[in-house]
Amino acid sequence: MALEMGLKIIALAKSRNQHIAVEICRLNHIVFIYFDDSLPVDKHNWLRRKANVAKQFEESSLSVKNDLKEGNMTLEKTFGLDEKDFLAKGGSIPIFIKSAGMIATITVSGLHDEEDHNIIIEALQGKYF
């Protein structure tokens, strides 16, 4: 399932000539990863930091970004989370299963953070949610 999801996201990005990185983690185990060759070498760190936010708050990293902004809060001052490990920018979405809770995260980086979030939704809408 992770392979299918990841490939759908990549196919959508390629159809738009967008360059992205995609990571799907089941708990703390990477089950799918892809990096476009044109991306800078630090993209893996962006994926990790965004996914950490989705895991910590069990909501999308874009939602956390917006909540922080609306509440005049920061990850570090409000929650004691080091920004070298947590990044509140759009692009990571938690995956929940009924009766099991959060089981995974899907994370994209390479576009504007809201586009990172939206490409996941657009690619997977209809089949997975």
Side-chain angles (χ1 to χ4, degrees):
M1 191 179 295
L3 176 63
E4 184 179 304
M5 291 173 146
L7 292 175
K8 286 181 81 71
I9 296 167
I10 293 164
L12 181 57
K14 286 188 176 197
S15 76
R16 298 173 174 175
N17 199 31
Q18 295 173 317
H19 305 280
I20 62 169
V22 181
E23 179 182 88
I24 301 175
C25 291
R26 195 181 109 246
L27 303 175
N28 290 321
H29 181 74
I30 297 171
V31 293
F32 181 91
I33 194 155
Y34 166 82
F35 293 92
D36 186 277
D37 290 340
S38 67
L39 296 176
V41 297
D42 71 338
K43 268 309 157 195
H44 70 283
N45 206 26
W46 283 74
L47 292 169
R48 178 185 65 82
R49 292 167 62 214
K50 287 182 187 186
N52 282 347
V53 167
K55 290 174 194 173
Q56 176 74 26
F57 293 95
E58 294 191 358
E59 61 182 282
S60 76
S61 56
L62 182 61
S63 180
V64 173
K65 171 191 166 183
N66 292 335
D67 290 347
L68 290 171
K69 185 177 179 181
E70 288 173 16
N72 197 27
M73 301 178 286
T74 68
L75 290 173
E76 191 156 3
K77 290 180 183 175
T78 308
F79 298 99
L81 301 174
D82 193 328
E83 293 189 2
K84 73 177 185 198
D85 292 318
F86 294 86
L87 179 64
K89 297 280 185 189
S92 190
I93 297 175
I95 300 171
F96 292 88
I97 300 288
K98 287 181 184 177
S99 303
M102 188 175 79
I103 61 152
T105 56
I106 301 175
T107 308
V108 169
S109 191
L111 309 172
H112 182 275
D113 73 317
E114 289 182 15
E115 291 177 278
D116 286 340
H117 175 92
N118 289 336
I119 198 167
I120 299 168
I121 301 300
E122 291 174 41
L124 304 181
Q125 196 164 15
K127 181 158 186 173
Y128 298 101
F129 47 83

